[in-house]
Each structure stands twice: as structure tokens, then as C-alpha cells.
Amino acid sequence: METNEIPGTGTQSRGYEEAEIPAVDLEDDVSTGTVAPRRRRGVSEWHQVGKHLLRNRGAVIGLLIIGIFVIGAVFAPVLTTHNPIQNNLTMRLQSPSTTHWLGTDALGRDLYSRMLYGSRISLNIGLISVVIGVAVGVPIGAISGFYGGKLDIFTQRIIDIMIAFPGILLAIIVVTVLGVGVQNVMIATGIASVPIYARLVRGSVLAAKEQSYVEAARAAGLGDASIVFRHILPNCLAPIIVQSTFQIATSILWAAGLGFLGLGAQAPMPEWGAILSDGRAYIRTAHHLTTYPGLAILFMVLGFNLLGDGLRDALDPRSRGN
Amino acid sequence: MSGTAERQPMLQVTNLKKYFPIKTGVFSRTTGYVKAVDDVSFDIYPGETFALVGESGCGKSTTGRTILRLQNATGGQVIFKGEDVYAATGDRMRVLRKDMQIVFQDPYSALNPRMTIGAAIREIMRVHGMATGNELHEKAERVLETCGLQRHHASRYPHEFSGGQRQRVVIARALALNPSLIVADEPISALDVSIQSQIINLLEDLQDEFDLTFLFISHDLSVVKHMAERVGVMYLGKLVEVAGKRELYENPLHPYSQALLSAIPVSDPARRQERIILKGDVPSPANPPSGCPFHTRCPYAMDVCRSVVPRLRRTDSGRHVACHLIHPPEQHNGDLSTVETRIAH
């Protein structure tokens, strides 16, 4: 190889010949600028996300609120003072007292016990509807975004039609078709969230598939399935997680709405929306029947929204800084 | 040139075309094409470094991608080791892909941020059944070492590396499959100047050690001068000149090559020559000029250049140039050739 005939002036100088720097010197030149110990495990991104999340005050408050509800739901049999569906007509419409911490309803049932069991139902609806939404929406979005073309146009027009309906209306339509009941509410809110996931994932997949590492995987001869599952979807996880947190809150709200309308849990099931609806008739004489379930719905939704906000910031490498 | 002429080419690219449709309106009707690569032909011989140079947007990267079939060509033929790349399907294509790898320009987007670099390298080795179990780990770590990284780097994520180290990882991943051809698509343009030379040296060392053939795509003429044995100059999707490095740098024939090479800074005042400043901008590849694509900016443009597309033809000295100055259109059947080669629109 002939030597560089054009040594170049000033900034143009490259000097390939003398720049044989051994790689060992590059050892600690990592982007974080920290000195790496010799045998260190790779620091996964999730580690950093967790650290960042716990530094976010809103997210911690959200986690605490959710934690309280989860503990209440899991240990409901231990924490309750009364049977949530046991009528006691001699104790109708009692105000909060030491025996009935949050008072009683029109049939003399203990509101505190009913609400604890109600948090089980609400959390279940929130989680299961999100699982349904993710399980159906993510593959639709991924296939639509990855393959594109006519298939993409076709699916996206169907998604457009579904998005044109407000989620709660879509859920009402599905419940009307399937019949009332808690299980059908889960299915309905799940289906109502499918278009949201399909649209979200399609967008993320469209962005991720343009990255060079996807092209590199293709150049290495990897099949479509491994490209989608190992290279594209893991990089779309952040928006899916954030959306799921918000979607749990939305589903709980939708389920309470359906319960309020009498389309969800049926008596005597202690569902928050249904409790709220039953208490509506006594709002002037026994406001605790509407106030406490209303506050419970408010705080659970608030908790998930705070956590979602925190996750969105923590999962975004740009806002994470350093 | 004379040495390579007797050997069989490893890669033969013939009349390669890549047109991107321009879609407009509600119904996405195709209203035209961007001719990113238009009728490009060249051969690459085993063990050599063939460079494609040109301004950004001239189609050099697209040429590299269509050769590897990362984008499908609109027309033309790519023959790699005697096998038509565009005729291969399924398993056959996988085998071909193993033998042709790519190094990308931007080492930041070329690595999956959710995979450790060891996992990324092991994955592609596993797909090709190169090893299993402990042997797989061993091989992956060895290839990292070959590229100037440490074995324990295998358990790290891409964000823990600097740009230069990432590019070493990208090279290691390409090398992991033991390819014979590597398409290096601007492998150093995204790196700091201080790192560029290390990567160039690494590529050269690997070429010697593993007998690699490079298609080196770059806009940096001094790097190309250092690396390449033969150089193809591209302008607006067309190859305008192909020559040995020494011939091209000492005596560029095509007016565009002359202008391009005059842009390299020369330190010796005695040797300093007039810089040829081209007037105007590069025409849009969506609406290329008729005739020679360079005629709008060429200082020597003649009437014939506006109507007849010059073809890449061999000169007496064995170089290839597409210019009417070098190969005047033949007088007696000039009308015929004009009709033949006039651009369709």
C-alpha cells in the first residue's frame, strides 16, 4: 500500500499510518465515562429504568397507591370486617362508625368490606382487559407494520372504524352483544383497547424496522419471525408498557361506567361502579355510598396514571439524560 | 488492472437498476420514479477492494444494498461466485447471505439496543449452524477479540460502548459468519476523525488475515485512495468512470471525476492545481437531465451530450469511462445510436 501522497493540511490530516492504538487503551472509553471493573456483568437498560422511576416522586406515589389497593385486594378476606354480600336490614344506610368503618348500604351491607372485594374486581378487569388488548392488538399491529402493503391498508381501515367509536361505546356494544356480567366486561374493555394497541404497535414497528440492526439481521439471513420477535418487538416495548399502564386505568373507568349502567357486575357482586349506581338514590341522605366508591375509582385511576407518566419518562432515554 | 483481468470476478453486477416510485395524491398513484441506481455495471475480483465514490445521494449506498438484496432491484443482474443472487430463494439465499456481509455507516443504529453484543453475534452464528453451546460462546468471543475488543465485552449492551468500539462490534458481527465479501457502507463517516484511522487499519488487517474482498462505499476520497485498488465514480445513479486507483487519481478522464478529485486538498504548493468548481446543484434524480446526466454542470458539454446517453466503455488503457469526450459518438451511424440510447421520456 503506497503511503498517503496527500498528507493534507490542517483538519484534513488523517495520518493512517501512525494511528495503531491498541484496543486495550479503549477499554474504559464507554459512553458513560465511568471506569469499568474487569469482570462486570452488562448493565441492562431495565436496571436504569427502575432507578430512574424510583427517583420520580409522582411515580412513587402512584406505585404506593396501587400497592395499597393491591394489598387490599389480595388480603381482602383477612382485612374485611363483614361479609360483603350479607344483608342486614336492621342496619340499613348507617353512617360510618367504628363497627362499619365506611357505613352500610341500603341492604345493610358493610361498605368497607364491599369496597375491598370491589378492588379485586376492578384490578382484575383492568389487568385482564389489558392482557386481551395486548394479546390481540400487538400481533395485529406488528404484522400490519412489518409487512405493510395491502394487508396494512386493510387492517388500518378496520382499526380506523373501531377508533371512530369512543372506547366506552365500543365496550357497551360488545357487552350488549355478549350479555352482561364481569367476564364479558373484561372481554368488552379488552376488545375496545385492541385498536389502540394495534395503532401504537404499528407505528413503533414502522420506526423500528428502518433501523440498521434490522437490516443487519436480514443480511445475516434471519427469518421474519426472529426479526420481529427478537429485534423489532423488544424495541417497541417501552410504548406498550406505558400504554398498558394508562389502559389499566381506562379499563377500570370503563368497567365502573358499565357497572354504573347496570351492564357490568350483577347484584350482589360488590363492583365499584355498581355500588356507586346503587348509592345514587341515597345521595342526599347517605352520601358515603357514592363518595367512597367515587374516591376509590379516582385514586386507583390516579395511581395508574401517575405510574404511567413516570414510566414514560423513565423509558425514554432522552429524558433519562446522563 | 492487468493482474485482475485474468481472474474470475467474485461479484458481477450487470445493468443494476433501482427505481423508487414517487407516489402522490389520495390514491397513491405512481407519478414518477427516482432513479437511485440506473444501469450500473461493474465487477469485483477476489481479494481486492473496490470503492464506489460520489456525492451523497448519488446512489452508492443503494447500490450496496441492492447487491445484498436488502432492497430488491428494479432490474439487472447480480452474480456472486457464479450464482444469481436474485434467482436464489429460501435456504440458498441464506447460504449466499452468509458469504456477503455488510458494515453500516452508523454504528449507533446498527446494533440492537436490547441485546448484549455477545447474544447478537451468537444469534447469527446459530442461524447458520456454525456452533452450539460452549463452542458458540467461545467462537463469538474469539471474533470480538479479532476485532480488537475484549472477551468479557460479550456480556455488555451496545450503549456501554463508544462509537469506535461499536463499529468494531459491527465489524465483528459481519466477520462472524466468515464471509468472503464485505460491503462497507461508509464505515467511518459517522466516527470521530481520531477513531477513523483505527477502523481503517482494522479493516485492512482483517482483509489480509481472512482474505476478504471489500466493496468500499465512501465519499471520502483520501480514505478511498488509501484503501482501494479500483475505484468506481458515481454520479446521479450512474457509474461515470471505473479505473485503477493510481490511474484515476493521477489522470481522471471523466470531467466529473476531475472535478471531484480537484476537491482533495493538496499540501505541496508546487503541486497545487486549479480547483474545478462545478456550477449549479446536482439535478434531482426524480427528473434527471436528458442525455448525459452530467451535462448540466459539465464545463465541456457539447450538443450531443444533451441528447445521447454516454455508455460506460473501455478505453485503450483498459479503463472504463462514460463520456462523449473520450468516446465520440460514431459519425456514420450516429442517428441510429441516438435513437437507441435516448432516454425514454
Side-chain angles (χ1 to χ4, degrees), chain A residues 97-165:
Chain A
S97 63
T98 44
T99 37
H100 296 288
W101 295 349
L102 298 180
T104 59
D105 69 2
L107 297 173
R109 294 174 295 197
D110 181 55
L111 186 61
Y112 165 70
S113 307
R114 283 179 71 71
M115 297 231 342
L116 270 193
Y117 277 98
S119 65
R120 277 189 168 185
I121 298 173
S122 286
L123 282 172
N124 258 325
I125 291 174
L127 286 176
I128 291 175
S129 71
V130 161
V131 168
I132 294 172
V134 169
V136 182
V138 170
I140 291 177
I143 291 170
S144 178
F146 185 71
Y147 289 104
K150 289 210 171 68
L151 181 78
D152 181 38
I153 294 171
F154 178 72
T155 22
Q156 289 311 310
R157 291 302 80 78
I158 291 176
I159 299 296
D160 280 344
I161 293 169
M162 287 178 79
I163 280 180
F165 292 97

Side-chain angles (χ1 to χ4, degrees), chain B residues 40-52:
Chain B
V40 164
S41 307
F42 58 88
D43 294 343
I44 300 180
Y45 293 90
E48 77 168 343
T49 300
F50 182 87
L52 276 180

Side-chain angles (χ1 to χ4, degrees), chain B residues 13 15-20 34-42 52-64 66 75 232-241 256 282-286 288-289 291-294 309-310 312 322 343:
Chain B
V13 177
N15 302 338
L16 190 70
K17 293 187 183 80
K18 176 67 188 175
Y19 297 170
F20 293 103
V34 173
K35 297 180 174 176
V37 179
D38 196 11
D39 219 0
V40 164
S41 307
F42 58 88
L52 276 180
V53 297
E55 299 166 68
S56 55
C58 72
K60 30 185 217 301
S61 287
T62 311
T63 306
T66 36
V233 181
M234 279 188 82
Y235 182 78
L236 218 62
K238 283 182 184 296
L239 211 47
V240 295
E241 182 163 2
Y256 178 66
V282 184
S284 159
C292 174
F294 190 56
V309 182
L312 195 67
I343 275 188

Side-chain angles (χ1 to χ4, degrees), chain B residues 235 259 276-283 294-301:
Chain B
Y235 182 78
I276 306 169
I277 310 276
L278 292 176
K279 52 188 192 302
D281 288 328
V282 184
F294 190 56
H295 85 249
T296 53
R297 304 170 77 194
C298 181
Y300 314 109

Side-chain angles (χ1 to χ4, degrees), chain A residues 86-103:
Chain A
Q86 178 87 61
N87 294 355
N88 184 355
L89 294 175
T90 59
M91 298 290 276
R92 294 180 72 230
L93 299 171
Q94 298 287 308
S95 289
S97 63
T98 44
T99 37
H100 296 288
W101 295 349
L102 298 180

Side-chain angles (χ1 to χ4, degrees), chain A residues 194-242:
Chain A
V194 163
I196 299 169
Y197 282 106
R199 182 57 55 87
L200 177 81
V201 171
R202 173 182 175 266
S204 307
V205 168
L206 283 181
K209 81 169 181 181
E210 294 305 321
Q211 298 289 318
S212 314
Y213 56 77
V214 172
E215 221 167 19
R218 200 183 295 282
L222 263 64
D224 285 354
S226 27
I227 289 176
V228 171
F229 284 107
R230 290 178 58 85
H231 294 273
I232 293 181
L233 279 182
N235 288 290
C236 303
L237 266 186
I240 295 175
I241 290 171
V242 172

